[in-house]
Amino acid sequence: MKILSLIRSVLLSRKRNCIMISLCFIFTTLLFNLMIAISSDYINGVNYISKNRYDRTAIVTHTTSLKPLSAQRISDELKRQGVKCRMEILNINSSLMYSEQSRISDEYIKLLTYNLHPDNLSLYTRYEKDSFNVSGYTTEPSEYLDVELEGEKPDINKDYGGKIPVIVQSVSDKEIGDTVKGRAAQGKFELLVVGKYKSNEVWDLLLSPGDLLYNSSYYTDYRILEKSGCYTPDNRDFTEKQYENDDNYFHEHFCDVILLKTDDMFYAEFESRIRNTWSVNDEKKGDIIFGNPLFGVDKDTFSNDYISLLQLFPAFIAIAVVGSIGIVANGFLNAESRIKAAAVFRSCGANTSKIAIINTVCELVVMLFSTIVSFIILLIIKLIFGLNIINADSILFTALYLLILTVLISIIGNITLLKSKMLDVIRRYENQ
Amino acid sequence: MIKLENVDKYYNYHMDTEVHALKNVNLTINDGEMVAIMGVSGSGKSTMLHILGCLDSQTKGKYFLGEYEVCKYSSNTIAEIRNEEIGFVLQNFGLLSDKSVYENISYPLIFNPAVKYKMMKRLITKAAEDMLVSDFLKKPVKELSGGQKQRVALARAIVNRPNIILADEPTAALDKNTANDIMNVLINLNKNGKTVVIVTHDRSVAEKCNRIIELSDGEIISDKENIPA
C-alpha cells in the first residue's frame, strides 16, 4: 500500500513526461497500425496470387442477352468474336426469392419490381430487405478457383427431401444443415444449406467484388435450380433484371463467364475483342453482349495498386523510428529528475530493488496508459471514418513493439538509476 | 555510538586522478552528543559525513554504527540501517520540490517496514507539528521559504525517530535569523536525546555544539569539547 502510494505520487509528478511519452507513443502506434493494416492486405494478396495456380490465366466477364443463355450460345458468340480460349460459365442465372410471404404478395412484388428505380428509394429498400438470390452455376467456383468448400456440393442425383441444396458464402450467418424458406415463381421453396465457402478472399483478390457470384446469397447447380421450378429462363415475372422502354417490356438474361487465356493472346487482345460488343443495340442485334472484362489480378498489376503504399513505406518507417527514438530520448531527458527522486528515496532508506521496482512499475503504467489511449483513438477513428486500421496483424505487431519498447525503456531506466552514484547526485543537489 | 577506526577514503583509487580524502581517521561520537565537523572546502568533512550516513563507504579501516560494523553488511541491510538509525538534513534541503510537504515527510516511513500505512498520517502530522510546518502539509515544497523547507527536511529526518541526525551545512542556504531558528531546532533535538552531527564551515554554528572537530586535508587536526555560549 505504501509503495503503491509512492508510485502514484511519482506518476503524478511525471504527468508531463507521461503525456509526452503518450503522444509520441500514440503517434507511433497509429502509424504502425496504419502501415500494418494496409501492408498486411498487400502481403496477403501477393502471397495468394503467388501460390494461386490461376495467376495470369483467368479473365472474367459477364454476358447478357434477351434470349435464354446457354454455354453453347456463349461459346458460339466468342468464336464469332474471334476469341479463342477455353470457356466456363460460373453462374447461368439467378432467381430472386422472397422470404416474407405474409407481407409481400406476388402482385406487390410485381409492383415493386416495376417501380424499381433509384428515385424510389423507400420501395427499393423494402425490396432489397425482403429478398435474396439463388444463383445457378454450370461450374461450381471451387472447381476453378482456390476457394475451399466446407460440406459438399449440391448433387443433382441426390434426394434432399424436396429441398433445394445450396452453398452459402463464407460470410453468411447460415451454417450447413440450416434451411431457408422462400417464395418465387410459381410457389414456395425451401433451401437446404449443404456447403459453405471457407474463404471470401478470392473474390477480393482475383475478381472484382460485386460481380460474379459474389452478389448472390445462395448457389446451386443450375440444373437443380431449373428442375425445382424456382427459376425458369422463360419466367419473366420473377427474375432479377427486367426493363421497360417506350415500345417493349423485356427480360435480360445474364451470366458470368471465366475465360482461360491461351498462351498466344494478351489481355489487351481479349479486351478489345470483347469490347466490340459493348455498345450493340440490344433489340436490333438481340444477341449475346459481353460486359466489361474483369481481369484476374497478377502480381505486377496488384503491386501497381499498392505503389503509393510502397512509396510511403520509408516515411512510415522513418516516422515510427523517430517516434521510438523520441520515446527513448524522452526517458533520457527525464533521467535527471528520476535520479534525483531516487537519490532522495535512497537517503531515506530505500534499497536498490525497491527503486528498480518503482521505476519499472511507473514505466509499465505509462506504457499501459499510452497503449489503452492509442487503441481507443484507433477505435474512434475506425468508428468515425470507417477506416479499417486495426487488424489482428497490426495488433500483434503493435503489442510486440510495445513490449520491446517497454522492456528497453525499463532496462535503460533501471541501469541509469542503479549506475548513478547517489553521492554524486546528492552533491549536485547540494550545489544547485 | 559512532566509531571510525583508521579510516581512509580514496576517490579514484589506484588511478592517476586518485584523491586521498580522509587519512587514517579515528573518531568516536557517543550517543547524545552534538558534534560540529569543521573545515575548509575540500578538507574531507562532507566525505566523513557521507561515510557516517552510510551513503558512502571507506576504502580502508572500520566503521561501527552502534553494534553494526557497516562494511560487513549488504547494501540492502545498509539501506535498512540508514532508514532506521539516521536522519539526513542537506544544505539544499534534499526535497522533491513539486511534491507536497506531506509526501516529502512520508518517504522514510514508506521504506520502513515496521511502519504500517495507517500509522503514517499520525507520525507525519506529529513530525510536522514538532517542526512547525503542520499548516503547510498540503502545499508543494516549492512554494515554501528557505527556512520552511529546512524545517520540512528536519521533519523528514526525525519522522522515523532515528537516533542520529546528520546535517550537511544545514544553515548555509539560510539568512541569519532563520539559521538561528534551525540551529535551535537541532539543539532541541539533541536535548531530546538525539545524536546530532553537523558539518559546517561557519564558526558561529559550530560554537553552538558540544564538540568541535576540525579537519584539514583529510586529517583531524583538532577535536575539542565546547561549551555553547
Side-chain angles (χ1 to χ4, degrees):
Chain A
M1 189 66 183
K2 289 191 294 182
I3 295 292
L4 282 179
S5 71
L6 182 63
I7 287 169
R8 182 180 160 272
S9 166
V10 172
L11 281 172
L12 285 174
S13 68
R14 288 175 61 186
K15 261 188 290 191
R16 264 186 226 160
N17 181 222
C18 284
I19 292 167
M20 282 299 292
I21 289 184
S22 297
L23 284 175
C24 216
F25 206 94
I26 289 163
F27 187 54
T28 310
T29 310
L30 275 171
L31 281 163
F32 265 133
N33 264 293
L34 199 62
M35 184 182 79
I36 298 289
I38 299 170
S39 61
S40 63
D41 279 350
Y42 171 75
I43 292 162
N44 288 341
V46 169
N47 283 343
Y48 182 83
I49 290 167
S50 299
K51 69 182 180 189
N52 193 288
R53 63 196 161 100
Y54 295 101
D55 184 19
R56 294 169 183 271
T57 61
I59 296 177
V60 179
T61 184
H62 66 269
T63 58
T64 55
S65 170
L66 294 180
K67 295 175 186 171
L69 287 164
S70 67
Q72 188 57 48
R73 287 197 63 226
I74 296 166
S75 181
D76 291 346
E77 179 63 20
L78 284 171
K79 202 175 286 179
R80 200 174 68 78
Q81 295 290 335
V83 178
K84 293 174 188 172
C85 65
R86 199 154 66 80
M87 180 273 301
E88 294 281 354
I89 296 175
L90 264 181
N91 67 319
I92 187 78
N93 224 321
S94 191
S95 172
L96 188 64
M97 297 185 80
Y98 303 90
S99 59
E100 297 193 24
Q101 297 162 49
S102 59
R103 286 169 54 192
I104 302 177
S105 64
D106 283 359
E107 286 72 26
Y108 186 53
I109 291 163
K110 275 185 191 176
L111 180 69
L112 290 181
T113 313
Y114 181 78
N115 285 302
L116 182 58
H117 189 274
D119 294 340
N120 198 344
L121 288 176
S122 60
L123 282 174
Y124 183 76
T125 307
R126 184 69 177 272
Y127 174 82
E128 283 291 301
K129 183 184 171 190
D130 300 330
S131 66
F132 56 90
N133 291 323
V134 183
S135 293
Y137 54 76
T138 53
T139 306
E140 198 275 310
S142 68
E143 291 175 19
Y144 259 92
L145 308 167
D146 289 343
V147 193
E148 286 184 75
L149 184 70
E150 189 185 346
E152 60 181 44
K153 294 175 199 169
D155 185 349
I156 191 161
N157 298 315
K158 196 170 170 182
D159 180 16
Y160 292 97
K163 299 183 180 83
I164 304 171
V166 290
I167 302 171
V168 293
Q169 290 186 46
S170 63
V171 292
S172 170
D173 58 350
K174 297 284 183 289
E175 297 299 332
I176 293 168
D178 288 354
T179 56
V180 185
K181 287 180 180 172
R183 186 176 184 182
Q186 290 95 2
K188 297 175 183 175
F189 300 91
E190 195 166 1
L191 309 182
L192 172 67
V193 178
V194 295
K196 186 169 188 173
Y197 293 119
K198 282 187 180 174
S199 166
N200 221 35
E201 191 177 36
V202 68
W203 310 118
D204 294 333
L205 293 178
L206 216 74
L207 309 170
S208 171
D211 286 284
L212 274 182
L213 300 179
Y214 189 69
N215 269 345
S216 198
S217 322
Y218 304 97
Y219 317 116
T220 190
D221 189 299
Y222 82 102
R223 291 166 295 178
I224 294 176
L225 193 65
E226 289 184 356
K227 201 170 118 188
S228 70
C230 174
Y231 165 76
T232 58
D234 296 326
N235 185 341
R236 288 182 168 187
D237 293 339
F238 303 105
T239 48
E240 193 173 9
K241 290 197 174 181
Q242 40 197 344
Y243 306 94
E244 188 180 32
N245 58 25
D246 292 341
D247 303 320
N248 292 300
Y249 180 71
F250 58 91
H251 169 68
E252 185 181 30
H253 300 268
F254 65 98
C255 73
D256 296 310
V257 181
I258 282 191
L259 309 172
L260 298 179
K261 197 185 77 163
T262 54
D263 291 340
D264 59 349
M265 200 177 281
F266 295 102
Y267 286 135
E269 195 175 349
F270 267 87
E271 186 174 2
S272 67
R273 296 195 180 180
I274 292 170
R275 194 186 289 274
N276 291 334
T277 67
W278 280 6
S279 54
V280 292
N281 181 313
D282 292 354
E283 283 185 80
K284 284 181 183 171
K285 300 217 173 178
D287 216 330
I288 298 171
I289 302 158
F290 288 106
N292 189 7
L294 305 165
F295 297 112
V297 179
D298 63 58
K299 218 187 294 182
D300 296 337
T301 312
F302 195 72
S303 296
N304 285 339
D305 293 344
Y306 280 87
I307 198 77
S308 54
L309 169 72
L310 292 171
Q311 285 168 342
L312 282 173
F313 250 57
F316 277 138
I317 292 167
I319 292 167
V321 167
V322 169
S324 306
I325 291 172
I327 291 172
V328 177
N330 203 330
F332 275 114
L333 290 174
N334 284 283
E336 183 64 20
S337 64
R338 278 187 289 128
I339 291 168
K340 215 182 259 182
V344 170
F345 297 153
R346 276 180 171 179
S347 71
C348 292
N351 59 34
T352 308
S353 56
K354 274 182 186 159
I355 289 171
I357 288 168
I358 291 165
N359 186 51
T360 305
V361 171
C362 288
E363 296 296 351
L364 284 172
V365 170
V366 171
M367 291 299 156
L368 194 65
F369 171 78
S370 310
T371 309
I372 291 168
V373 171
S374 62
F375 278 119
I376 289 171
I377 289 174
L378 283 171
L379 286 172
I380 291 170
I381 291 173
K382 189 178 181 181
L383 283 174
I384 294 176
F385 299 106
L387 293 174
N388 185 24
I389 53 172
I390 306 177
N391 64 22
D393 289 341
S394 64
I395 286 172
L396 272 176
F397 193 86
T398 309
L400 187 68
Y401 168 71
L402 296 180
L403 190 68
I404 292 169
L405 211 60
T406 307
V407 168
L408 190 71
I409 288 175
S410 192
I411 289 171
I412 293 170
N414 281 324
I415 289 174
T416 317
L417 279 186
L418 303 179
K419 279 252 175 186
S420 68
K421 291 189 174 171
M422 176 172 46
L423 209 53
D424 295 338
V425 178
I426 289 172
R427 281 199 188 113
R428 279 209 299 276
Y429 236 127
E430 290 173 356
N431 294 327
Q432 277 172 356
Chain B
M1 187 185 69
I2 293 168
K3 192 175 180 185
L4 297 177
E5 274 184 14
N6 306 318
V7 165
D8 282 87
K9 174 67 184 178
Y10 293 85
Y11 293 109
N12 305 327
Y13 194 41
H14 289 323
M15 291 167 69
D16 292 343
T17 51
E18 181 182 284
V19 177
H20 197 172
L22 289 179
K23 296 171 184 169
N24 195 32
V25 171
N26 288 285
L27 173 69
T28 302
I29 299 172
N30 293 312
D31 292 343
E33 275 194 285
M34 184 159 180
V35 180
I37 300 173
M38 287 196 70
V40 293
S41 185
S43 60
K45 57 187 189 301
S46 287
T47 301
M48 184 186 281
L49 191 81
H50 291 143
I51 291 172
L52 295 180
C54 308
L55 290 174
D56 202 357
S57 56
Q58 70 277 17
T59 316
K60 292 177 185 172
K62 291 178 180 174
Y63 169 38
F64 295 92
L65 181 62
E67 64 199 71
Y68 307 107
E69 187 185 344
V70 174
C71 66
K72 286 188 175 174
Y73 293 92
S74 68
S75 61
N76 280 356
T77 310
I78 291 172
E80 280 174 31
I81 294 169
R82 194 165 54 237
N83 178 265
E84 289 168 16
E85 299 289 333
I86 301 166
F88 273 101
V89 181
L90 303 174
Q91 179 182 341
N92 278 309
F93 322 122
L95 302 169
L96 297 182
S97 57
D98 60 330
K99 309 311 296 180
S100 69
V101 169
Y102 183 95
E103 284 171 293
N104 270 284
I105 299 174
S106 73
Y107 296 143
L109 298 177
I110 286 172
F111 300 111
N112 185 348
V115 177
K116 302 291 174 205
Y117 183 72
K118 287 177 184 173
M119 296 161 62
M120 281 175 58
K121 190 175 179 184
R122 186 172 52 80
L123 293 171
I124 292 166
T125 310
K126 174 76 170 55
E129 281 170 356
D130 289 350
M131 293 300 127
L132 306 176
V133 288
S134 56
D135 291 343
F136 318 121
L137 279 176
K138 288 182 180 171
K139 266 194 176 181
V141 163
K142 62 187 169 193
E143 291 179 14
L144 304 181
S145 67
Q148 288 167 335
K149 281 179 187 171
Q150 199 58 294
R151 282 178 178 276
V152 173
L154 279 162
R156 187 183 65 186
I158 62 161
V159 72
N160 235 350
R161 289 166 291 185
N163 292 320
I164 302 163
I165 304 292
L166 301 179
D168 194 357
E169 303 276 11
T171 58
L174 305 175
D175 62 69
K176 198 175 177 184
N177 289 337
T178 314
N180 280 334
D181 283 347
I182 294 301
M183 279 311 296
N184 288 335
V185 171
L186 288 168
I187 290 164
N188 282 333
L189 286 172
N190 176 246
K191 282 179 181 170
N192 289 330
K194 307 286 183 197
T195 305
V196 178
V197 179
I198 300 171
V199 162
T200 182
H201 61 270
D202 186 339
R203 175 65 63 179
S204 65
V205 169
E207 292 292 346
K208 292 181 178 173
C209 299
N210 309 117
R211 182 177 168 192
I212 300 172
I213 297 167
E214 286 191 63
L215 282 176
S216 176
D217 200 19
E219 291 178 289
I220 296 175
I221 53 169
S222 80
D223 184 351
K224 291 177 185 169
E225 295 292 322
N226 179 56
I227 299 168

